[in-house]
Amino acid sequence: MMLKPSNYIWLFLMILQVYTAQSQEIDLQKTAVTDDISLMVPSDFIPMGPQDFRNKFISYRQPLAGFTTEDRSTDLIVNVSKTPWSNQDMDLLKDFYENNILNLFDQVEFLTNELQEINGRDYAVFEFTSTVKGDPNSLRNKSAVHDYRYMLYAVESFEVYVFTFYCPARLKDRWQPVASKIMSSVQFN
């Protein structure tokens, strides 16, 4: 089957449109999560509501803040929990959460796994892709789920703050530079 020249032009324009959409700069806005914590959030993200939290998280406690894309495919979550650890325990905290991550998923490929100082504060930083194998006998999760996550853990006043950027692995190339900018903007006042 021979394509007409007009079909080639249409195909070229479609490829160009997809490439342009993926390479567009995403606008970030400084957002206060609490009186003491701020970070940059993509301007087209919307705050998550109680139903979003119920649909996505198996937890009795709602996160401090959550933002998502309109199609609910990509999320930015800030959570906090009590801990016996202090800032001097960051090596132990990092090892604990690294093992926790490895146990949550069937496969994990760490892109970043280290302690970093960001804006004068120490964080355990985990950037990774993960896979949870599907279950052919399940009604909901028959096929494998492949994700990209960028996570920061910080300790403040015996509380662990967790900042998580999440998207499907197929969107990683689009969101990875944005996630990095968001995480480097986290600020405790």
Side-chain angles (χ1 to χ4, degrees):
M1 177 174 137
M2 189 82 161
L3 291 177
K4 297 178 186 178
S6 61
N7 288 344
Y8 285 113
I9 293 170
W10 180 83
L11 181 62
F12 173 75
L13 291 174
M14 290 299 293
I15 291 170
L16 183 63
Q17 182 180 10
V18 168
Y19 176 77
T20 303
Q22 288 180 347
S23 65
Q24 286 177 345
E25 188 71 23
I26 293 178
D27 183 43
L28 299 174
Q29 294 178 341
K30 185 174 182 177
T31 304
V33 173
T34 67
D35 291 341
D36 299 322
I37 303 171
S38 65
L39 73 162
M40 303 299 280
V41 175
S43 60
D44 60 348
F45 274 37
I46 56 176
M48 295 176 80
Q51 187 63 40
D52 291 314
F53 291 126
R54 280 192 294 276
N55 289 343
K56 291 195 177 209
F57 304 105
I58 304 169
S59 175
Y60 63 92
R61 195 174 336 157
Q62 187 167 309
L64 284 178
F67 306 92
T68 188
T69 52
E70 196 171 321
D71 68 358
R72 307 303 198 261
S73 68
T74 302
D75 301 327
L76 175 59
I77 306 295
V78 181
N79 216 336
V80 63
S81 62
K82 296 286 184 197
T83 184
W85 292 327
S86 71
N87 286 343
Q88 286 73 40
D89 299 321
M90 289 303 291
D91 287 325
L92 179 62
L93 179 136
K94 180 195 155 299
D95 292 343
F96 176 82
Y97 282 109
E98 176 184 352
N99 285 319
N100 200 15
I101 289 167
L102 290 170
N103 286 316
L104 281 173
F105 304 100
D106 293 315
Q107 295 176 324
V108 175
E109 181 183 337
F110 284 107
L111 307 169
T112 306
N113 178 357
E114 63 190 14
L115 293 176
Q116 282 183 21
E117 184 178 312
I118 301 170
N119 298 322
R121 177 175 296 276
D122 291 330
Y123 292 89
V125 179
F126 302 102
E127 181 184 15
F128 59 96
T129 57
S130 63
T131 301
V132 175
K133 295 177 184 169
D135 179 359
N137 298 320
S138 171
L139 294 175
R140 289 184 60 187
N141 302 318
K142 290 188 180 290
S143 59
V145 178
H146 306 281
D147 296 327
Y148 165 76
R149 296 181 200 287
Y150 197 130
M151 302 179 75
L152 299 183
Y153 292 83
V155 177
E156 173 70 24
S157 302
F158 295 100
E159 293 182 314
V160 174
Y161 288 83
V162 184
F163 302 84
T164 304
F165 185 92
Y166 157 87
C167 70
R170 64 183 163 71
L171 300 176
K172 174 183 160 271
D173 291 342
R174 176 177 186 216
W175 288 110
Q176 186 175 23
V178 176
S180 180
K181 287 178 185 177
I182 290 168
M183 296 308 182
S184 66
S185 77
V186 173
Q187 186 75 49
F188 282 76
N189 300 327

